[in-house]
Amino acid sequence: MKKKNITIYDIAKVANVSPTTVSRVLTGNPLVKDSTRKRVLEKMEELEFTPNEAARSLTRNQTNMIGFILPDITNPFFSQTYIDVERKAFEKGYTVLLRNSMSSSEMESAYLREFVERRVECIVFMGGRINKSKPTEKEMTEMKEVMKRVPLIMVNGWMEGVDCHTIRTDEEEGMRSIVHHLVSLGHRDIAFIGGQKGVSTVDLKVLAFREELKKYGLECHNEWQIYSGFGIDDGRVAMRQLLASKKMPTAIIGMNDMVIYGALKECRKQNVPIHNFSFVGFDDIFPSDIVYPSLTTVNHNYDQLTSEIIETIMKIIDRKDSQKEILIETKLIIRESSHTVNEHYFNSKEM
Amino acid sequence: MKKKNITIYDIAKVANVSPTTVSRVLTGNPLVKDSTRKRVLEKMEELEFTPNEAARSLTRNQTNMIGFILPDITNPFFSQTYIDVERKAFEKGYTVLLRNSMSSSEMESAYLREFVERRVECIVFMGGRINKSKPTEKEMTEMKEVMKRVPLIMVNGWMEGVDCHTIRTDEEEGMRSIVHHLVSLGHRDIAFIGGQKGVSTVDLKVLAFREELKKYGLECHNEWQIYSGFGIDDGRVAMRQLLASKKMPTAIIGMNDMVIYGALKECRKQNVPIHNFSFVGFDDIFPSDIVYPSLTTVNHNYDQLTSEIIETIMKIIDRKDSQKEILIETKLIIRESSHTVNEHYFNSKEM
DNA sequence: TTGTATGCGTTATCAC
DNA sequence: GTGATAACGCATACAA
């Protein structure tokens, strides 16, 4: 029943050469006579031979695989990053293994182990533990253990005390540009919604946000900083809370685009005129250009980000020097959702 | 320089057992004495041993890998499908290799070849050539060649003359439910936008669309069927064309959700009241619940779809019988974008 | 330019 | 329970 696998030995036999020669044409060794190369290739075609990559990996001690752990590929921020990396890696002859951790530490551990077993040549890590201000001891030591065996690159995150290649977009600067933009539109009452304390991408933004408020001499209302989470519904929750407060902000910054989508939705549910507020998101994922109003947001510069990732990977694999920390400039994309303080707002309020 | 890889031989040596025994604890063979198993495990820990999956694959002649080709993971329709398959496969001990073909036949070929070389145990195929009404001879024979070596499942597509497992959502029925819904709201002038002729998922829908119009005794205006493409901008193009026509429809069905996003955007650009039209999409991807107006659309029943995919894969691998063709029921999700014919529309027109 | 022999790190088949 | 030994399919050092 078991169909015999066709190997270079079978090809060698029918082509009247040694397995070595077959192997040579496989690896593109130029020392083979054209006529024999041609004959071998013909026989391969004939017998429908396909080299076994596992065997190859075993002898060459390299797999041409790269591992990529991220929280959730259904989030356009990650899918846009991933797809570019996949394409650029393929051009270099590498294959990417994608794993969705859902930010679960257990999943991350399982996938890290798998990657080591499969002998990937480099691991790209996003989200989860590398965004925790206080990762657990286990998470840190595990990371170090893995890094003894496989080089690892952290994207938009890091771990205190874990020395490692780091590539991240300059989220602080992104946040500063948002505040600057809003202030220049006349806003003085600015809220920040979404995210979660203890997550570095959040803490980073909040810190920059507060510093910037101070710089412009604006008051920092703690009740306007609502750490409700990262999803659409979390944005709704935050907006609901804002709408229920006595004094309301005139501008709302989201931890990411998603929470702003939720905020917009909540306004509609409550029949609050959407232009009462200016909204600004973060990430510039594709729906931000189609929601209404289209969303002002910070673009991560995906092309540069992914280029740096792949370049760093290749340098590490080729044992070339490469910059340990890379910071990517962001770009503020101004769309309809941010505007001068709306006077209708004040008119429409009973005051 | 080259750091020696740690193998079961190293473990065997320090644990005073044979490599065979080490292998036994690795495979979970129960015939090992508890004390020696414990000793071996300890030594593995100590030397930071990790089994080499390539070597394993080689001897066991199985890789525990599944290949997944789809057009574009940044499209939420695909990412939602993929992520569920990944998770369910992982639960069964399988790893999914994702490849984005961008619907390019060359990419598809390259990835198919790679999958065969990596000896994946099953291939899931979406988009591209399996949605062509007339795939090329090369595409068909290549598919057959691959299928001699690796079982293949086509999802939401098929190939005439290529006998193969097929799982698809019932798009015809989905389209019928849309037309029924619109007609029951009083619409008689219905357009279809997006897609491309010669793509089966499009032809299928258009056919059902026309049959349904006929069934309700409605006229079929060919100029209201605009095959502009699959993306957001393609939807804008189609909408522009509709808005420029003498007689306009009252309802617009999209090939997918994306083109409707474009249509909504175009209306806003031209300051056309959005409620002049009823809009219905197809796919129910996540932004459809957050755009304004929220989009009535057809849901693919992702959970059932992905369950069927994984079940079929496992049955094929385990050489169990499995249904050759599976059809998944769709579900019409009614949101704000579909409503009765808007009277304001007629009032606002100069007529 | 080609062939022989050996190794890569496991598992599987025997024997003991 | 445990241990030799032979696969698995390819690449490479060395010979010729």
Side-chain angles (χ1 to χ4, degrees):
Chain A
M1 179 64 223
K2 200 172 128 190
K3 206 160 64 181
K4 191 184 168 302
N5 296 318
I6 305 220
T7 74
I8 54 171
Y9 287 89
D10 301 312
I11 304 298
K13 211 170 293 169
V14 297
N16 286 318
V17 291
S18 75
T20 310
T21 302
V22 180
S23 172
R24 286 200 181 94
V25 340
L26 230 44
T27 53
N29 189 318
L31 297 181
V32 223
K33 211 201 302 183
D34 269 1
S35 62
T36 74
R37 175 192 308 280
K38 186 157 163 268
R39 186 152 37 95
V40 168
L41 285 172
E42 272 168 9
K43 293 304 179 186
M44 286 183 176
E45 191 86 356
E46 235 175 274
L47 302 197
E48 295 177 351
F49 166 80
T50 319
N52 183 319
E53 191 55 38
R56 258 178 143 146
S57 298
L58 199 55
T59 57
R60 302 194 319 167
N61 202 25
Q62 65 174 72
T63 56
N64 289 295
M65 295 197 292
I66 295 163
F68 199 143
I69 294 179
L70 49 76
D72 181 2
I73 193 71
T74 66
N75 181 326
F77 169 53
F78 294 113
S79 62
Q80 284 177 34
T81 305
Y82 167 78
I83 198 170
D84 278 355
V85 171
E86 184 195 275
R87 184 172 46 74
K88 288 169 182 169
F90 186 74
E91 288 166 4
K92 307 265 187 191
Y94 278 78
T95 280
V96 182
L97 299 188
L98 168 66
R99 296 294 173 271
N100 287 269
S101 70
M102 309 317 286
S103 291
S104 140
S105 194
E106 289 72 39
M107 297 294 268
E108 289 172 351
S109 296
Y111 292 148
L112 284 172
R113 193 171 334 119
E114 190 207 333
F115 284 167
V116 174
E117 293 187 357
R118 292 208 183 268
R119 302 291 192 266
V120 300
E121 299 180 32
C122 188
I123 295 175
V124 181
F125 203 111
M126 294 186 83
R129 68 180 66 178
I130 71 165
N131 284 329
K132 291 188 186 172
S133 308
K134 295 254 174 281
T136 67
E137 202 59 46
K138 181 171 170 301
E139 286 169 342
M140 295 181 56
T141 57
E142 183 181 45
M143 221 62 167
K144 287 182 196 161
E145 293 296 325
V146 168
M147 287 172 54
K148 281 191 211 158
R149 326 273 260 93
V150 190
L152 190 147
I153 300 174
M154 299 185 184
V155 176
N156 277 13
W158 71 89
M159 260 183 168
E160 215 74 53
V162 179
D163 182 41
C164 165
H165 283 267
T166 286
I167 301 175
R168 53 189 208 85
T169 49
D170 194 343
E171 299 183 287
E172 297 96 315
E173 179 56 30
M175 178 53 74
R176 281 183 223 116
S177 70
I178 292 176
V179 177
H180 175 81
H181 170 64
L182 289 173
V183 168
S184 73
L185 287 170
H187 293 276
R188 304 185 54 80
D189 300 313
I190 308 177
F192 176 94
I193 65 172
Q196 193 182 318
K197 272 186 179 168
V199 174
S200 58
T201 50
V202 180
D203 294 344
L204 226 57
K205 286 171 187 158
V206 170
L207 197 64
F209 170 66
R210 289 188 178 159
E211 283 176 359
E212 210 60 8
L213 287 187
K214 185 179 292 177
K215 177 175 141 193
Y216 290 111
L218 302 181
E219 212 176 327
C220 176
H221 302 256
N222 283 323
E223 69 277 19
W224 287 350
Q225 286 154 41
I226 306 175
Y227 305 94
S228 52
F230 298 87
I232 293 172
D233 285 336
D234 303 319
R236 295 190 60 179
V237 169
M239 192 69 213
R240 203 172 304 144
Q241 198 170 324
L242 281 181
L243 289 172
S245 59
K246 293 123 285 177
K247 183 169 158 63
M248 281 193 241
T250 62
I252 298 167
I253 301 174
M255 158 62 208
N256 59 25
D257 290 352
M258 291 291 218
V259 296
I260 297 296
Y261 302 157
L264 294 176
K265 188 162 179 179
E266 185 62 25
C267 285
R268 290 218 183 77
K269 283 277 176 195
Q270 299 199 23
N271 281 315
V272 174
I274 217 94
H275 292 290
N276 282 5
F277 305 98
S278 280
F279 294 95
V280 182
F282 213 110
D283 286 350
D284 193 24
I285 57 181
F286 82 86
S288 292
D289 196 32
I290 56 166
V291 293
Y292 179 76
S294 62
L295 191 58
T296 294
T297 182
V298 173
N299 181 288
H300 282 277
N301 208 336
Y302 292 98
D303 187 53
Q304 198 196 337
L305 176 62
T306 55
S307 292
E308 296 287 5
I309 292 174
I310 206 69
E311 290 306 325
T312 303
I313 292 174
M314 297 323 289
K315 280 181 189 162
I316 292 178
I317 290 178
D318 298 340
R319 289 185 167 65
K320 285 189 207 148
D321 266 0
S322 72
Q323 208 178 321
K324 210 67 188 264
E325 292 183 19
I326 296 176
L327 203 60
I328 314 260
E329 275 183 42
T330 58
K331 199 166 48 182
L332 183 68
I333 309 290
I334 298 174
R335 299 205 182 89
E336 303 165 341
S337 68
S338 60
H339 40 70
T340 53
V341 179
N342 193 328
E343 289 165 8
H344 295 298
Y345 170 64
F346 299 102
N347 298 342
S348 69
K349 297 273 287 187
E350 292 97 323
M351 53 187 284
Chain B
M1 179 66 225
K2 199 172 127 192
K3 205 161 63 182
K4 191 182 169 303
N5 295 318
I6 304 220
T7 73
I8 53 172
Y9 285 88
D10 302 312
I11 304 299
K13 209 170 296 169
V14 299
N16 286 318
V17 291
S18 76
T20 310
T21 300
V22 179
S23 172
R24 284 202 182 93
V25 341
L26 230 42
T27 53
N29 188 317
L31 297 182
V32 225
K33 212 201 303 184
D34 268 2
S35 62
T36 73
R37 173 191 311 279
K38 186 157 165 266
R39 185 152 38 95
V40 168
L41 285 173
E42 271 168 8
K43 293 304 179 186
M44 286 184 177
E45 191 87 357
E46 232 176 277
L47 302 197
E48 295 177 353
F49 165 82
T50 319
N52 183 319
E53 191 55 37
R56 259 178 144 145
S57 299
L58 198 56
T59 56
R60 303 195 319 166
N61 202 27
Q62 65 173 72
T63 56
N64 290 296
M65 294 197 292
I66 294 164
F68 199 144
I69 294 179
L70 49 77
D72 181 2
I73 193 72
T74 65
N75 181 326
F77 169 53
F78 294 112
S79 61
Q80 284 177 34
T81 305
Y82 167 78
I83 198 171
D84 278 355
V85 171
E86 184 194 275
R87 184 174 45 75
K88 289 169 182 169
F90 186 74
E91 288 166 4
K92 307 268 186 188
Y94 278 79
T95 278
V96 182
L97 298 188
L98 168 66
R99 296 292 173 272
N100 287 269
S101 70
M102 309 317 285
S103 291
S104 140
S105 194
E106 289 72 39
M107 297 293 270
E108 289 171 353
S109 297
Y111 292 148
L112 284 172
R113 194 171 332 119
E114 190 207 332
F115 284 168
V116 174
E117 293 186 356
R118 292 207 185 268
R119 301 293 192 267
V120 300
E121 299 179 33
C122 188
I123 295 175
V124 182
F125 204 111
M126 295 187 83
R129 66 180 66 178
I130 70 165
N131 284 328
K132 291 188 186 174
S133 307
K134 295 255 175 280
T136 67
E137 202 58 47
K138 182 171 168 301
E139 286 168 342
M140 295 181 56
T141 57
E142 184 182 45
M143 220 63 168
K144 287 181 195 162
E145 292 297 324
V146 169
M147 287 173 54
K148 281 191 211 160
R149 328 272 260 87
V150 190
L152 191 146
I153 301 174
M154 298 185 184
V155 177
N156 277 12
W158 71 89
M159 261 182 168
E160 215 72 54
V162 179
D163 183 42
C164 166
H165 279 84
T166 285
I167 300 174
R168 52 189 210 84
T169 49
D170 194 344
E171 299 183 285
E172 297 96 314
E173 180 55 31
M175 179 53 74
R176 281 185 223 115
S177 69
I178 292 175
V179 177
H180 175 82
H181 170 64
L182 289 173
V183 168
S184 73
L185 288 170
H187 294 275
R188 303 186 56 80
D189 301 313
I190 308 177
F192 176 93
I193 65 172
Q196 193 182 321
K197 272 186 179 170
V199 174
S200 57
T201 48
V202 179
D203 295 345
L204 225 58
K205 284 172 187 157
V206 171
L207 196 65
F209 170 65
R210 291 189 177 158
E211 284 176 358
E212 210 61 6
L213 287 187
K214 186 179 291 178
K215 177 175 142 192
Y216 290 110
L218 302 180
E219 214 176 324
C220 176
H221 301 255
N222 282 324
E223 69 275 19
W224 286 351
Q225 284 153 43
I226 305 175
Y227 305 95
S228 52
F230 299 87
I232 293 172
D233 285 335
D234 304 319
R236 295 190 60 179
V237 169
M239 192 69 213
R240 206 172 302 145
Q241 198 170 323
L242 281 181
L243 288 173
S245 58
K246 294 123 285 176
K247 185 170 157 62
M248 280 192 240
T250 62
I252 298 167
I253 301 174
M255 158 63 207
N256 58 28
D257 290 352
M258 292 290 217
V259 297
I260 297 296
Y261 302 157
L264 294 176
K265 187 162 180 180
E266 185 62 25
C267 286
R268 290 217 184 77
K269 284 277 174 193
Q270 299 198 22
N271 281 314
V272 174
I274 217 94
H275 292 290
N276 282 4
F277 305 97
S278 279
F279 294 94
V280 183
F282 212 109
D283 286 351
D284 193 23
I285 57 182
F286 82 86
S288 292
D289 196 32
I290 56 166
V291 293
Y292 180 76
S294 61
L295 191 58
T296 294
T297 184
V298 173
N299 180 286
H300 281 276
N301 208 335
Y302 293 97
D303 187 53
Q304 198 195 336
L305 176 62
T306 54
S307 292
E308 296 287 5
I309 292 175
I310 206 69
E311 289 306 325
T312 303
I313 292 173
M314 297 324 287
K315 280 181 188 161
I316 293 178
I317 290 178
D318 297 340
R319 289 187 167 65
K320 285 190 207 149
D321 266 359
S322 72
Q323 209 178 319
K324 210 67 189 264
E325 292 183 19
I326 296 177
L327 203 60
I328 314 263
E329 274 183 44
T330 59
K331 198 167 46 182
L332 183 68
I333 308 291
I334 298 174
R335 299 205 181 88
E336 303 165 339
S337 68
S338 61
H339 40 70
T340 53
V341 180
N342 193 327
E343 289 164 10
H344 295 297
Y345 170 63
F346 299 101
N347 298 342
S348 70
K349 298 274 286 186
E350 293 97 322
M351 53 188 286

